[in-house]
Amino acid sequence: MSIRTSVYLVGLIGASLVSAQTFQRLGTCPTLGCIFPPDQTDFLAGQLFDIRLEIHAPLNGTEASNNGVPNETFSLCIQRGKEACSDVTKYFKISNSALEKWSFSYYEDLFAKDSGTPVVVNVASKAYRALSLTKPGTYTAKLTYNGGTTTVANWLVREPVTSRRAKNVLLFIGDGMTQPMITAARLIAHKSINGKYQSLMQMDQMDNLGHQMTHSVDSFITDSANSATALYTGKKSSVNALGVYADSSKNSLDDPKVETLAELFRRRRDGGALGIVSTAFIADATPAALCSHTRDRSQYASIVTEFLNNATTVNSTLAWPTSCQMPDVLFGGGAEQFIAGSGSPGGADYYKAFQAKGYTVVNNNTALQAAGTKAKTLGIFSSKPAKWIDRHVLRDNLSGLKNSPIGDGSDATDQPGLKDMTLKAIDILQARTKNGQGWFMMSEAASIDKMMHVLDYDRALGELLELDDTIRASIAHLKAIGEYENTLIVVTADHGHGFDVFGGADTKYLAAQTDDRKKRGAVGTYAASGLSGYTVAEGSLPNNNTIVYGSEGPNFPVQWNPRYAFAAGFGANPDHRESYTLNTKGPRVPAVSSSSGYVVNPTDNTDGFNVPGTIGVDEAQGVHSLQDVSVFANGPGSEAFRGVYSSVDIFFKIADALGLAEA
Amino acid sequence: MSIRTSVYLVGLIGASLVSAQTFQRLGTCPTLGCIFPPDQTDFLAGQLFDIRLEIHAPLNGTEASNNGVPNETFSLCIQRGKEACSDVTKYFKISNSALEKWSFSYYEDLFAKDSGTPVVVNVASKAYRALSLTKPGTYTAKLTYNGGTTTVANWLVREPVTSRRAKNVLLFIGDGMTQPMITAARLIAHKSINGKYQSLMQMDQMDNLGHQMTHSVDSFITDSANSATALYTGKKSSVNALGVYADSSKNSLDDPKVETLAELFRRRRDGGALGIVSTAFIADATPAALCSHTRDRSQYASIVTEFLNNATTVNSTLAWPTSCQMPDVLFGGGAEQFIAGSGSPGGADYYKAFQAKGYTVVNNNTALQAAGTKAKTLGIFSSKPAKWIDRHVLRDNLSGLKNSPIGDGSDATDQPGLKDMTLKAIDILQARTKNGQGWFMMSEAASIDKMMHVLDYDRALGELLELDDTIRASIAHLKAIGEYENTLIVVTADHGHGFDVFGGADTKYLAAQTDDRKKRGAVGTYAASGLSGYTVAEGSLPNNNTIVYGSEGPNFPVQWNPRYAFAAGFGANPDHRESYTLNTKGPRVPAVSSSSGYVVNPTDNTDGFNVPGTIGVDEAQGVHSLQDVSVFANGPGSEAFRGVYSSVDIFFKIADALGLAEA
């Protein structure tokens, strides 16, 4: 009772409850009238977008309004600069839309959730599809409802850049990759003498450095779906949303869409080739966001359908006259969406569906390397992609996974790495581009994020070093084929994890202690952090787990499991146990489910000390963090990537380099 | 016994033990012959430095050598490029030095420490003082000992930049300030609407962005002494060392020195004014490293003596013909070194000592603002400087500290902030510079680090925001006095802490739960992180600790203790308890001593949940981390600060902007 009272008290002083809370009625909509695209949206001139309007009438709770009956006679007018405000139908010369109605519920706070007392919100809505604004300048979209209440969205159509500077764009995304991780990767893979590195990461040597702010439209921590949406569309969105703003309707495929870089490039550059490469499954958020439009990133079948067709195919009621037009290259994992079965669109064999539309399909690295460059190519190499360390250092871990991309229960032992996929993709895009329109490729090192989630620092850094090696090899390859000077190369991340190295751990001493507090004494800080144990061979050191590696040449550790390892961690953890040794059996599983939520995995790091978590016990993994991520760029247009800016600016900078705006 | 065996085994395969260990025989010296400056040292042409040679003969342990008798007939020759190698005395035209002998001991690893079995090392040594190299190019210093064994140091005298570009240099150091902290400060102090910030940090708006690698010469985690030495001398050094390389002798004041930026500026720019400002005590590492030369940063009395005099005064046996020549401005805390007593040099009244040499002395902000600009000015404002939050938001905490700078047991309630000190310092430096030589100032926000050490995130971010506000005000002031275009402004840090924000915390819900695992449910991640609660007023929200702040204007939080707070943390912690609320009584004390090491402070965050530590139980605080730190720069010469480089390059870039090299 006192809980409800306090909630009502909050309501009395206005909108403060919604300003920073755990649960929101609807992100991007602090008032009871909602406009998508919301206030503060920037557009590329000519970029397609949907408008969604919602009028909310909460039936109960601190914002209870009009007995839960939403106003149905709302209207939207659009105004450029100081011109008159015209009704949306007149402004865009479109007919009125049908009224839609639905309801949803949410909890106002954790107390309400515990007591099972949700707020019910009734909604009246309209949507207008596939619009665009071409004249640069400021716009006001004014929604009038409830007999005179207004909600205003200020939009900006940025001044179009008409001169194209880059023929090709190669966008590398290190998923979840932060500067502290890059620093740690440098530490383990590059030798230093008396504090001076003898070699550097390729990223360290890029011509231009920037930082981007990664937060969502409605939360300061983002996931990979909405951060990819920001990078590719220039619009901040909500957690789990791909190429749309998240509305409150039940249908996750009818949310207001925005046109992506890939769609714009295909629509505006006839003959431009498009490539999408990832070490994740190909329907995962970062590759998906280039071509997909859904509020729910887990709609994998829809996502694959949209790769092959377009948004209208997925939801035939919605006009969306732009698409990825079947990417020339699609390389990744995720056989589940292609093998006929419960994970594929309509249960069909989607390898065949792609072949029927002219794709060459390859399922292992040997076939990938042998494939020609003239056809569109789909490469799906596993159901669950292996990590760099397991592909290169601990190959025994490739056995028994039954992750064959053709679904025959065998192991995918011939998987290409990011470098293999990216270099081949360059060749295919080069061969397929027409009319001098060049190509656009996104290449993602996905498992930096996935391995940081499970606190598997070593595997995450292996993925990061593979990314760096891929950038290095791509630059060399572009130079060799004479395209380096024509190619804008951008390397960035979509969000962070709060990882950092804070010392060295004597793993032998740690394992030899029997008490957790004594084990912590193995962590050396400051001067006792010592030097990198990863860049020197320890040979026959009495450390059973010593793994000497060297066949990948420079830019990788000489060994991965030295006695003196780095000690690292996160502020945000599930319960786990820490020993700072390489997980030699495969990716780490830090926590397991129990009747009281996730607890330490009893088989993980059995020599280590317990570290109870700092986040909800319903979390099995670490979570994303706030920090700005780095941007590195070379090539034509790359000077624009200097300095500090929002994630959405990446879209505009790339679009400007390609001259994609309508002038 | 088995432990010793394993240690000996390590010895058999060479130098691997010393490559990454918790304890090192001597940092920078993996062989038994040591040269300081060590291999990989870069010099500014004409920069003064000492040479120290050591020959080690371990009596026992894995490197036991020559029955513990160090070779005394060692020699050093110096060679430029492919010229002949000349004996050091001939090369520099100096006489031979006297042989010195001493011994020291260390543990080879933690097992040896536990069993109390140190290695004893006997040493023979020579030193050559105050040398310099003026011809650019590569040099080889070859130490020959033990009848023919050689240790080689490769040195580089960088090509001198002869044209001076900056008249003034204003170097801001945010001690321990990382990009994740800057991101968090932006979150709490700058309002965003639908994911777009309506204002930005001043740092975000600087013209040039870079990253610097902070590690030490002999450990990958640094402290503030040796990182400041790197920034000011261009030489990586060891933990606790100021303006010297750490040798193994007992005397911490005889270690091999290197000339600092401040000394170079004074020696090479006659009439150039020098200012040192810090929110720490003025003998703390970051201000001290500009003028001091000691292996032990805790030699506070020596440090203050060196501010007023020079290194030769501190240790009269050592010629060191360069000094800070009494800085024109010295502003900070640390009354203990000035009030006659156990902390001051020789027990003397050092306020009087400074006055006797012509200094105006001020002890509070009123006197500071009233002071003229023509005299050298010493401002010591407390024995223990208060933090920004306590000076501005929670002023009750200024009472009862008995931290008066004059030592009368009263409270220092009129302390200037970083902005007050820095703006006044600019005016004094402007008034005192002669011959058109401009000025050099270092202004340090010291307590970002100090408050991150004690996990007091709010106070740390308050200090960071004060720094940003100071940079903003300094730019405005420089513009107002017509010096902005003449001034190189560099903002950076000396090292990191592995801090990051990972979500929002419903502090009210957290406090209301009685079980630690349930309390963790108050932490909202991803979408449930919500929005910044710090940029909106909650007014009469039923939160007893709500503090509404606004009188500092924009660029600071509207409130510091919202119900929906950010949740953050480190990978490296002592035992502590987390509630994500503002510590309203003063700086946080996370852990207290017990018979089993440091444990949770029972009076800290009593509503919170326990987070056992991840570092040694002898640590009462968090520790520094590895990550690269950001560099922001404006003004003449600032383009050089773009990209990724070593901390030592900051010295060279500033020296080049000032044209300090000998041509």
Side-chain angles (χ1 to χ4, degrees):
Chain A
M1 188 60 197
S2 65
I3 291 165
R4 301 295 306 169
T5 305
S6 73
V7 171
Y8 279 108
L9 267 176
V10 172
L12 291 177
I13 59 155
S16 62
L17 182 70
V18 298
S19 66
Q21 65 196 32
T22 307
F23 307 116
Q24 297 175 69
R25 174 168 39 75
L26 177 59
T28 334
C29 185
T31 61
L32 295 178
C34 317
I35 307 173
F36 301 97
D39 189 27
Q40 306 291 317
T41 302
D42 284 14
F43 298 94
L44 192 77
Q47 183 182 18
L48 294 172
F49 63 96
D50 294 341
I51 290 177
R52 162 73 80 186
L53 308 173
E54 295 189 17
I55 307 300
H56 289 192
L59 189 62
N60 57 326
T62 59
E63 297 182 301
S65 159
N66 201 30
N67 297 316
V69 179
N71 176 242
E72 297 181 6
T73 59
F74 56 90
S75 64
L76 180 76
C77 71
I78 309 279
Q79 164 181 0
R80 176 167 177 272
K82 301 197 170 178
E83 294 167 5
C85 205
S86 302
D87 187 77
V88 61
T89 57
K90 282 191 187 144
Y91 195 90
F92 289 107
K93 301 189 179 73
I94 52 176
S95 50
N96 203 353
S97 291
L99 190 72
E100 300 172 69
K101 295 176 73 171
W102 62 76
S103 64
F104 68 95
S105 67
Y106 81 110
Y107 295 110
E108 289 198 328
D109 67 5
L110 288 161
F111 293 108
K113 186 181 178 206
D114 281 357
S115 63
T117 51
V119 168
V120 174
V121 182
N122 295 316
V123 182
S125 175
K126 286 186 178 179
Y128 304 93
R129 304 289 178 179
L131 310 171
S132 71
L133 296 166
T134 50
K135 282 190 193 168
T138 58
Y139 291 75
T140 308
K142 193 197 296 180
L143 176 65
T144 304
Y145 57 103
N146 290 355
T149 305
T150 56
T151 292
V152 168
N154 296 292
W155 296 340
L156 172 70
V157 176
R158 293 198 189 181
E159 203 64 42
V161 172
T162 49
S163 61
R164 180 175 182 176
R165 297 189 58 194
K167 180 179 163 198
N168 313 309
V169 171
L170 178 45
L171 172 62
F172 287 104
I173 296 183
D175 202 301
M177 177 178 71
T178 63
Q179 196 57 41
M181 296 175 201
I182 297 170
T183 313
R186 189 195 299 125
L187 178 77
I188 69 169
H190 292 273
K191 190 157 184 152
S192 91
I193 298 175
N194 290 332
K196 185 187 278 187
Y197 277 103
Q198 305 299 298
S199 60
L200 289 171
M201 305 279 286
Q202 180 60 49
M203 287 183 243
D204 295 334
Q205 302 173 64
M206 302 285 278
D207 294 333
N208 296 286
L209 171 67
H211 289 164
Q212 46 130 330
M213 306 181 256
T214 67
H215 49 84
S216 303
V217 72
D218 54 1
S219 64
F220 54 79
I221 305 295
T222 184
D223 81 324
S224 292
N226 83 81
S227 58
T229 298
L231 296 173
Y232 303 155
T233 72
K235 315 287 171 282
K236 298 245 182 206
S237 186
S238 300
V239 168
N240 295 329
L242 295 169
V244 298
Y245 286 105
D247 67 21
S248 72
S249 74
K250 285 183 179 57
N251 183 351
S252 63
L253 295 172
D254 72 352
D255 296 43
K257 294 182 288 299
V258 285
E259 193 174 21
T260 73
L261 257 181
E263 292 170 329
L264 270 162
F265 181 64
R266 288 295 221 182
R267 184 165 66 85
R268 302 267 306 148
R269 298 290 171 200
D270 185 30
L274 175 63
I276 302 176
V277 171
S278 176
T279 53
F281 55 101
I282 200 68
D284 201 9
T286 308
L290 280 164
C291 304
S292 301
H293 302 277
T294 171
R295 188 178 71 233
D296 178 5
R297 59 184 277 181
S298 68
Q299 300 287 345
Y300 303 136
S302 290
I303 288 164
V304 169
T305 306
E306 216 169 325
F307 277 137
L308 189 59
N309 299 283
N310 55 49
T312 310
T313 315
V314 174
N315 187 336
S316 62
T317 66
L318 314 176
W320 190 243
T322 183
S323 81
C324 276
Q325 300 177 28
M326 301 194 294
D328 298 276
V329 167
L330 266 181
F331 292 163
E336 294 87 342
Q337 275 73 60
F338 295 88
I339 300 165
S342 61
S344 72
D349 182 332
Y350 249 60
Y351 289 128
K352 284 189 181 158
F354 272 75
Q355 280 168 327
K357 293 220 177 180
Y359 274 84
T360 296
V361 174
V362 291
N363 289 120
N364 58 55
N365 192 34
T366 305
L368 173 69
Q369 299 309 325
T373 56
K374 295 201 173 143
K376 292 196 183 200
T377 309
L378 172 72
I380 301 297
F381 304 105
S382 69
S383 61
K384 194 175 176 187
K387 311 307 171 237
W388 186 92
I389 286 182
D390 300 310
R391 280 187 286 105
H392 289 267
V393 183
L394 302 163
R395 289 186 57 84
D396 287 353
N397 291 333
L398 301 182
S399 300
L401 298 177
K402 300 178 181 174
N403 61 341
S404 158
I406 56 170
D408 62 358
S410 66
D411 300 327
T413 54
D414 183 23
Q415 299 174 48
L418 188 67
K419 183 165 72 173
D420 307 308
M421 294 191 286
T422 303
L423 296 181
K424 184 73 182 191
I426 289 173
D427 288 340
I428 295 171
L429 297 175
Q430 275 293 111
R432 288 192 53 79
T433 182
K434 295 184 188 69
N435 310 330
Q437 293 291 7
W439 46 263
F440 174 93
M441 173 171 22
M442 191 288 295
S443 173
E444 183 203 17
S447 292
I448 300 170
D449 177 66
K450 293 185 196 306
M451 293 296 97
M452 282 294 173
H453 270 295
V454 294
L455 321 189
D456 196 330
Y457 321 128
D458 296 304
R459 274 180 182 71
L461 297 182
E463 300 296 302
L464 197 161
L465 289 168
E466 181 186 38
L467 170 61
D468 198 61
D469 192 47
T470 302
I471 302 164
R472 192 185 313 268
S474 297
I475 289 173
H477 189 58
L478 288 168
K479 285 180 177 171
I481 64 174
E483 287 287 339
Y484 178 68
E485 300 299 328
N486 301 326
T487 306
L488 170 64
I489 302 175
V490 179
V491 184
T492 189
D494 50 354
H495 61 76
H497 284 259
F499 166 92
D500 205 355
V501 171
F502 51 77
D506 182 343
T507 57
K508 183 180 170 189
Y509 182 84
L510 198 159
Q513 310 307 310
T514 54
D515 173 75
D516 268 15
R517 290 177 71 80
K518 191 89 169 129
K519 282 177 185 288
R520 284 163 54 185
V523 176
T525 57
Y526 302 105
S529 64
L531 302 170
S532 176
Y534 299 79
T535 57
V536 287
E538 287 192 32
S540 55
L541 248 186
N543 179 338
N544 291 331
N545 293 321
T546 294
I547 288 150
V548 175
Y549 182 73
S551 66
E552 277 289 308
N555 309 320
F556 287 93
V558 175
Q559 63 167 332
W560 278 96
N561 213 11
R563 171 174 169 184
Y564 292 97
F566 67 78
F570 300 87
N573 299 295
D575 286 5
H576 63 290
R577 197 187 281 121
E578 206 58 89
S579 71
Y580 301 120
T581 50
L582 176 66
N583 287 66
T584 54
K585 302 297 185 191
R588 186 174 178 186
V589 179
V592 294
S593 188
S594 81
S595 60
S596 68
Y598 281 92
V599 295
V600 173
N601 176 357
T603 68
D604 182 47
N605 289 341
T606 49
D607 278 344
F609 58 86
N610 283 320
V611 186
T614 52
I615 48 178
V617 298
D618 55 340
E619 291 278 5
Q621 306 190 333
V623 296
H624 296 179
S625 72
L626 181 69
Q627 66 183 283
D628 294 349
V629 296
S630 296
V631 186
F632 307 93
N634 276 15
S638 62
E639 315 77 31
F641 291 84
R642 291 179 190 149
V644 181
Y645 39 85
S646 168
S647 55
V648 302
D649 290 310
I650 301 276
F651 163 83
F652 290 100
K653 292 172 196 296
I654 293 176
D656 287 353
L658 289 167
L660 293 181
E662 281 183 33
Chain B
M1 191 57 199
S2 65
I3 292 165
R4 300 297 305 172
T5 305
S6 74
V7 171
Y8 280 109
L9 268 176
V10 171
L12 291 176
I13 60 156
S16 62
L17 182 73
V18 297
S19 65
Q21 65 195 33
T22 306
F23 307 115
Q24 296 175 71
R25 174 167 38 77
L26 177 60
T28 333
C29 186
T31 60
L32 295 178
C34 317
I35 307 174
F36 301 98
D39 189 24
Q40 306 291 316
T41 302
D42 285 13
F43 298 93
L44 192 77
Q47 183 181 17
L48 294 172
F49 63 96
D50 295 340
I51 290 176
R52 162 73 79 186
L53 309 174
E54 295 188 16
I55 307 299
H56 289 192
L59 189 62
N60 57 326
T62 61
E63 298 182 301
S65 159
N66 202 30
N67 296 317
V69 180
N71 174 244
E72 297 181 7
T73 57
F74 55 89
S75 64
L76 181 76
C77 70
I78 309 278
Q79 161 181 3
R80 176 168 177 272
K82 302 197 172 181
E83 294 167 4
C85 204
S86 302
D87 187 77
V88 62
T89 55
K90 282 189 187 143
Y91 195 90
F92 290 107
K93 302 188 180 73
I94 52 177
S95 50
N96 203 354
S97 291
L99 190 72
E100 300 172 67
K101 294 176 74 171
W102 63 75
S103 64
F104 69 94
S105 67
Y106 80 109
Y107 294 110
E108 289 198 328
D109 67 7
L110 288 161
F111 293 108
K113 186 181 178 206
D114 281 357
S115 63
T117 50
V119 167
V120 174
V121 182
N122 295 315
V123 182
S125 175
K126 285 186 180 181
Y128 303 93
R129 304 290 178 179
L131 310 171
S132 71
L133 297 165
T134 50
K135 283 191 193 166
T138 56
Y139 290 75
T140 307
K142 192 197 299 184
L143 176 64
T144 304
Y145 56 104
N146 290 357
T149 303
T150 57
T151 292
V152 168
N154 296 293
W155 296 341
L156 174 69
V157 175
R158 294 198 188 182
E159 203 63 41
V161 172
T162 50
S163 62
R164 181 174 180 175
R165 298 190 59 193
K167 180 179 163 197
N168 313 309
V169 171
L170 178 46
L171 172 62
F172 287 104
I173 295 182
D175 202 301
M177 178 177 71
T178 63
Q179 195 59 40
M181 296 174 199
I182 296 169
T183 313
R186 189 195 300 124
L187 178 78
I188 69 169
H190 293 272
K191 189 158 185 151
S192 92
I193 298 176
N194 290 331
K196 186 187 278 185
Y197 277 103
Q198 306 298 298
S199 60
L200 289 171
M201 306 279 286
Q202 180 59 49
M203 285 182 242
D204 294 334
Q205 302 173 63
M206 302 284 279
D207 295 332
N208 298 285
L209 171 67
H211 289 165
Q212 46 129 330
M213 305 181 258
T214 67
H215 49 84
S216 303
V217 72
D218 54 1
S219 64
F220 54 79
I221 307 293
T222 183
D223 82 324
S224 291
N226 81 82
S227 59
T229 298
L231 296 173
Y232 303 157
T233 72
K235 314 287 173 280
K236 298 245 181 204
S237 185
S238 300
V239 168
N240 295 329
L242 295 169
V244 297
Y245 286 105
D247 67 21
S248 71
S249 74
K250 285 185 178 58
N251 183 351
S252 63
L253 296 173
D254 73 352
D255 296 44
K257 294 183 287 299
V258 284
E259 191 173 21
T260 73
L261 259 180
E263 291 170 329
L264 269 162
F265 182 64
R266 289 295 222 183
R267 183 164 68 86
R268 302 268 306 149
R269 297 293 172 200
D270 185 29
L274 175 63
I276 302 175
V277 171
S278 176
T279 53
F281 55 101
I282 201 67
D284 201 10
T286 309
L290 280 163
C291 305
S292 301
H293 302 277
T294 169
R295 189 178 71 232
D296 178 6
R297 59 184 277 181
S298 69
Q299 300 286 345
Y300 303 137
S302 290
I303 288 165
V304 169
T305 305
E306 215 168 325
F307 277 137
L308 189 59
N309 298 283
N310 54 47
T312 310
T313 315
V314 174
N315 188 335
S316 61
T317 64
L318 314 176
W320 190 243
T322 183
S323 81
C324 276
Q325 300 177 28
M326 301 194 293
D328 298 276
V329 168
L330 265 182
F331 291 164
E336 294 86 342
Q337 276 73 60
F338 295 87
I339 300 165
S342 61
S344 71
D349 182 332
Y350 249 61
Y351 289 128
K352 284 192 182 156
F354 272 75
Q355 281 168 326
K357 293 220 177 180
Y359 275 84
T360 295
V361 174
V362 291
N363 289 118
N364 57 54
N365 192 33
T366 305
L368 173 69
Q369 300 309 325
T373 56
K374 296 202 174 144
K376 292 195 182 201
T377 309
L378 172 73
I380 301 296
F381 304 105
S382 69
S383 61
K384 194 176 176 184
K387 311 306 171 238
W388 185 93
I389 286 183
D390 300 310
R391 279 187 286 107
H392 289 267
V393 183
L394 301 163
R395 288 187 55 85
D396 287 354
N397 291 333
L398 301 183
S399 299
L401 298 178
K402 300 179 180 172
N403 59 341
S404 159
I406 55 171
D408 63 357
S410 66
D411 300 326
T413 55
D414 183 22
Q415 300 174 48
L418 188 67
K419 183 165 72 174
D420 307 308
M421 293 191 286
T422 303
L423 296 182
K424 184 72 183 193
I426 289 173
D427 289 340
I428 294 171
L429 297 176
Q430 275 293 113
R432 289 191 52 80
T433 182
K434 293 184 190 69
N435 311 330
Q437 294 290 7
W439 44 264
F440 175 92
M441 172 170 23
M442 191 287 297
S443 172
E444 184 204 16
S447 292
I448 301 170
D449 177 68
K450 293 184 195 306
M451 292 297 96
M452 282 293 173
H453 269 296
V454 293
L455 322 189
D456 197 330
Y457 319 129
D458 297 305
R459 273 180 182 72
L461 296 183
E463 300 296 302
L464 198 161
L465 289 167
E466 181 185 39
L467 169 62
D468 199 60
D469 193 47
T470 301
I471 302 165
R472 193 185 313 270
S474 297
I475 289 174
H477 189 58
L478 288 169
K479 285 179 177 172
I481 63 174
E483 287 288 338
Y484 178 68
E485 301 298 328
N486 301 327
T487 306
L488 169 64
I489 302 175
V490 179
V491 184
T492 191
D494 50 354
H495 60 76
H497 285 257
F499 166 92
D500 204 356
V501 172
F502 52 77
D506 181 345
T507 58
K508 183 179 169 189
Y509 183 84
L510 197 159
Q513 311 307 310
T514 52
D515 173 74
D516 268 16
R517 288 177 72 81
K518 191 91 169 124
K519 282 177 186 287
R520 284 163 52 185
V523 176
T525 56
Y526 302 106
S529 64
L531 302 169
S532 176
Y534 299 79
T535 57
V536 288
E538 287 191 34
S540 56
L541 248 187
N543 179 338
N544 291 332
N545 293 322
T546 293
I547 287 149
V548 176
Y549 181 74
S551 65
E552 276 288 309
N555 311 320
F556 287 93
V558 175
Q559 61 168 333
W560 277 96
N561 213 11
R563 171 173 169 186
Y564 292 97
F566 67 79
F570 300 86
N573 300 293
D575 286 5
H576 63 291
R577 196 188 280 121
E578 207 56 271
S579 72
Y580 301 120
T581 51
L582 176 65
N583 286 65
T584 54
K585 303 297 185 193
R588 187 173 178 187
V589 179
V592 294
S593 188
S594 82
S595 59
S596 67
Y598 280 92
V599 295
V600 174
N601 177 357
T603 68
D604 182 47
N605 290 341
T606 50
D607 279 344
F609 57 86
N610 284 321
V611 186
T614 52
I615 48 179
V617 298
D618 55 340
E619 290 279 5
Q621 307 190 333
V623 296
H624 296 180
S625 72
L626 180 69
Q627 65 183 284
D628 293 350
V629 296
S630 296
V631 186
F632 306 95
N634 276 14
S638 63
E639 315 78 31
F641 291 84
R642 291 180 190 149
V644 180
Y645 39 83
S646 169
S647 54
V648 302
D649 291 311
I650 301 276
F651 163 82
F652 289 99
K653 291 172 196 296
I654 293 176
D656 286 353
L658 289 167
L660 293 181
E662 279 181 34

